[in-house]
């Protein structure tokens, strides 16, 4: 398989696990590559230069798969630059589960989150991605990572045209970050 694979899910939606899954399927893949792609904050003010640096990194990195940020923010531009690429939106079954995971994980990093803001961004971007690709693309898949592991693995392999018994590993689990409160 020569086409690029972009995982456009948000943080805490299984991007680490899907990235490892791609690697296990012999698709060299990079997870969270903001520094490597020379991305500047805030993205809104640096969007043009960030896109240029992102495309330069993707073209010269030697990787075929890319997950987590900054791919999520540039799904339209990546699709325009790589029209034959595959796009996989990872999400959670419910927003409540996603929020719990976000707050538990980032609390351990001493990062405070604004619930209203992150939920609004999560909804907006997931909706934008779903609408953009819609049902018209046979190179797009949306999965709830906390759904059936075997079914999600099967769907991704079918999308990519890969035959394998390998399944998505569970990495970076919420239970690793939530302290027992009983």
């Amino acid at each position: 398989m020569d086409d690029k694979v972009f995982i456009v899910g948000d943080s805490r939606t299984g991007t680490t696990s899907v990235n490892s899954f791609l690697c296990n399927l012999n698709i060299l893949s990079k997870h969270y590559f903001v520094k490597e792609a020379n991305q500047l904050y805030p993205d809104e003010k640096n969007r043009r230069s960030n896109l240029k640096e992102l495309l330069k990194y993707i073209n010269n990195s030697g990787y075929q798969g890319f997950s987590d940020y900054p791919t999520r923010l540039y799904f339209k531009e990546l699709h325009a630059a790589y029209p034959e690429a595959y796009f996989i939106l990872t999400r959670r079954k419910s927003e409540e589960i996603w929020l719990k995971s976000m707050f538990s994980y980032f609390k351990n990093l001493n990062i405070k989150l604004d619930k209203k803001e992150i939920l609004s961004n999560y909804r907006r971007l997931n909706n934008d991605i779903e609408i953009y690709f819609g049902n018209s693309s046979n190179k797009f898949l949306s999965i709830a990572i906390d759904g059936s592991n075997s079914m999600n693995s099967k769907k991704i392999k079918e999308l990519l045209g890969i035959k394998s018994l390998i399944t998505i590993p569970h990495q970076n689990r919420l239970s690793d970050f939530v302290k027992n409160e009983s």
Side-chain angles (χ1 to χ4, degrees):
M1 192 183 88
D2 295 325
D3 296 325
K4 303 283 187 216
V5 180
F6 296 105
I7 310 305
V8 293
D10 207 336
S11 298
R12 312 304 306 147
T13 64
T15 58
T16 301
S17 296
V18 174
N19 183 74
S20 292
F21 180 57
L22 293 179
C23 290
N24 291 339
L25 293 172
N26 295 316
I27 298 171
L28 191 58
S29 187
K30 180 70 174 169
H31 181 260
Y32 192 83
F33 53 102
V34 170
K35 266 188 195 166
E36 294 90 333
N38 297 312
Q39 300 296 285
L40 301 173
Y41 185 81
D43 182 69
E44 301 82 36
K45 292 183 180 178
N46 298 288
R47 193 153 179 88
R48 184 176 295 191
S49 64
N50 280 352
L51 177 59
K52 181 180 175 184
E53 290 295 319
L54 173 61
L55 294 174
K56 184 166 80 174
Y57 177 76
I58 290 170
N59 288 329
N60 297 314
S61 69
Y63 291 102
Q64 191 177 353
F66 302 88
S67 64
D68 211 321
Y69 287 91
T71 59
R72 181 169 170 81
L73 299 175
Y74 293 93
F75 68 92
K76 289 178 185 176
E77 294 88 345
L78 291 171
H79 187 242
Y82 307 99
E84 296 303 315
Y86 296 93
F87 289 81
I88 301 170
L89 173 62
T90 56
R91 52 186 168 68
R92 291 296 187 116
K93 281 185 183 178
S94 77
E95 292 173 348
E96 293 77 25
I97 293 170
W98 177 75
L99 282 169
K100 181 178 180 181
S101 184
M102 287 290 287
F103 278 93
S104 296
Y105 180 79
F106 285 100
K107 178 181 173 185
N108 290 327
L109 299 175
N110 292 319
I111 296 173
K112 295 192 182 213
L113 302 174
D114 179 300
K115 180 179 179 179
K116 188 176 179 180
E117 181 182 357
I118 66 166
L119 187 54
S120 173
N121 288 337
Y122 179 76
R123 287 175 176 161
R124 179 185 49 77
L125 215 41
N126 282 355
N127 188 54
D128 288 351
I129 292 167
E130 292 271 4
I131 289 171
Y132 179 80
F133 287 103
N135 294 326
S136 63
S137 177
N138 63 351
K139 293 201 169 196
F140 172 73
L141 175 67
S142 178
I143 60 168
I145 199 64
D146 42 6
S148 165
N149 189 41
S150 60
M151 185 56 70
N152 284 336
S153 300
K154 180 182 177 193
K155 287 178 180 179
I156 292 172
K157 290 183 286 189
E158 284 176 355
L159 175 75
L160 302 177
I162 294 174
K163 295 201 182 283
S164 171
L165 298 176
I166 294 171
T167 58
I168 300 170
H170 285 287
Q171 296 183 328
N172 216 1
R173 294 178 187 209
L174 174 60
S175 59
D176 296 339
F177 304 101
V178 177
K179 297 194 175 29
N180 188 350
E181 297 175 5
S182 52

